[in-house]
């Protein structure tokens, strides 16, 4: 996993800084876990209900396969879902779910109001 983390840092050099800004920014103060601490990242994924998106536990379809989960570390998975916050559609969308709306909708469908409020404070699109 260390080799994969090095490769990930080479591909996305700003990823670690962005994740630290995300975790320690306004509305959400917690120290970011070490990149190779899989248990802490899995706990963070489940706290924000990103694991429900990854595992397709709601009626909202995601294009992630079961092989994607195996090939990516929890840190890489968190970085992937973090990118949803900044993804905005280029054109006006009507009756279509965008990546930016998925985390909040999944948290609402799971009935987890804490995750929904955290996602709203973190700047995710709330439909």
């Amino acid at each position: 996993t260390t080799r994969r983390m090095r490769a990930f840092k080479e591909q996305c050099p700003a990823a670690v800084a962005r994740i630290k800004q995300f975790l320690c920014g306004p509305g959400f103060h917690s120290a970011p876990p070490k990149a190779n601490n899989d248990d802490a990242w899995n706990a963070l994924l489940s706290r924000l209900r990103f694991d429900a998106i990854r595992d397709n536990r709601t009626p909202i379809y995601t294009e992630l396969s079961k092989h994607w989960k195996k090939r990516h570390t929890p840190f890489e998975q968190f970085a992937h879902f973090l990118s949803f916050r900044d993804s905005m559609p280029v054109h006006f969308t009507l009756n279509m779910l965008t990546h930016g709306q998925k985390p909040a909708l999944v948290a609402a469908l799971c009935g987890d109001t804490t995750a929904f409020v955290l996602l709203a404070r973190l700047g995710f699109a709330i439909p």
Side-chain angles (χ1 to χ4, degrees):
T1 57
T2 307
R3 186 181 317 140
R4 289 186 60 197
M5 289 308 301
R6 241 184 276 129
F8 179 69
K9 287 181 183 177
E10 289 172 5
Q11 289 175 351
C12 307
V16 175
R18 276 185 109 185
I19 288 173
K20 283 183 181 178
Q21 175 192 3
F22 179 75
L23 291 175
C24 300
F28 191 60
H29 300 283
S30 66
K34 297 215 180 263
N36 56 2
N37 187 352
D38 291 346
D39 294 333
W41 286 108
N42 280 329
L44 192 59
L45 284 169
S46 66
R47 184 174 175 192
L48 294 172
R49 290 294 177 187
F50 290 160
D51 61 339
I53 299 172
R54 178 192 65 206
D55 299 338
N56 288 323
R57 286 193 226 145
T58 60
I60 296 177
Y61 172 75
T62 58
E63 65 281 349
L64 302 174
S65 68
K66 61 183 176 182
H67 303 292
W68 182 87
K69 178 182 172 183
K70 292 178 186 175
R71 290 188 196 123
H72 293 84
T73 64
F75 174 75
E76 293 170 332
Q77 293 172 14
F78 185 83
H80 175 75
F81 293 122
L82 177 63
S83 70
F84 284 10
R85 182 179 72 164
D86 299 327
S87 66
M88 292 293 176
V90 177
H91 304 289
F92 177 74
T93 58
L94 184 64
N95 297 331
M96 185 172 126
L97 292 176
T98 62
H99 279 298
Q101 296 169 337
K102 276 184 188 177
L105 287 174
V106 167
L109 286 171
C110 290
D112 192 351
T113 55
T114 307
F116 192 79
V117 170
L118 280 173
L119 290 168
R121 288 183 181 167
L122 292 171
F124 280 87
I126 303 298

